């Protein structure tokens, strides 16, 4: 029997977790004017959070890799997401996608 790294429960769970997490900024938008996100902001944040959850879950389930390799993969995914989020939020590198 072949095992799949991303199971049929992992992807929907990551999608649900990403959606639930984004209720925080959505609720903040209803309460204050300090948070002003548009549709593309929510879409980009959802994609980053979903990909992070699915990627780390896949790294954790990769039984062909040793534990240290799985931890390194999860840390690399988290670092890449942090850099991407920082670039999108405040423009760490000054790309055209940077927010201000």
């Amino acid at each position: 029997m072949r095992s799949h790294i991303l199971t049929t429960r992992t992807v929907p769970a990551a999608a649900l977790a990403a959606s639930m997490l984004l209720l925080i900024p959505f609720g903040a938008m209803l309460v204050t004017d300090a948070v002003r996100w548009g549709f593309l902001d929510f879409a980009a944040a959802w994609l980053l959070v979903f990909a992070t959850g699915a990627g780390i879950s896949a790294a954790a389930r990769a039984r062909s890799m040793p534990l240290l390799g799985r931890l390194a993969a999860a840390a690399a995914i988290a670092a890449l997401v942090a850099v991407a989020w920082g670039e999108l939020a405040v423009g760490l590198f000054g790309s055209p996608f940077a927010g201000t």
Side-chain angles (χ1 to χ4, degrees), residues 22-86:
L22 289 179
L23 287 175
I24 295 169
F26 181 74
M29 284 179 51
L30 299 175
V31 175
T32 181
D33 290 334
V35 180
R36 289 176 282 169
W37 282 23
F39 174 77
L40 289 178
D41 297 317
F42 279 101
W46 185 89
L47 184 63
L48 278 173
V49 173
F50 169 74
T52 303
I56 290 176
S57 178
R61 293 176 185 269
R63 299 292 180 207
S64 61
M65 293 173 48
L67 177 62
L68 190 57
R70 290 185 298 214
L71 289 173
I77 291 168
L80 286 172
V81 168
V83 169
W85 193 286

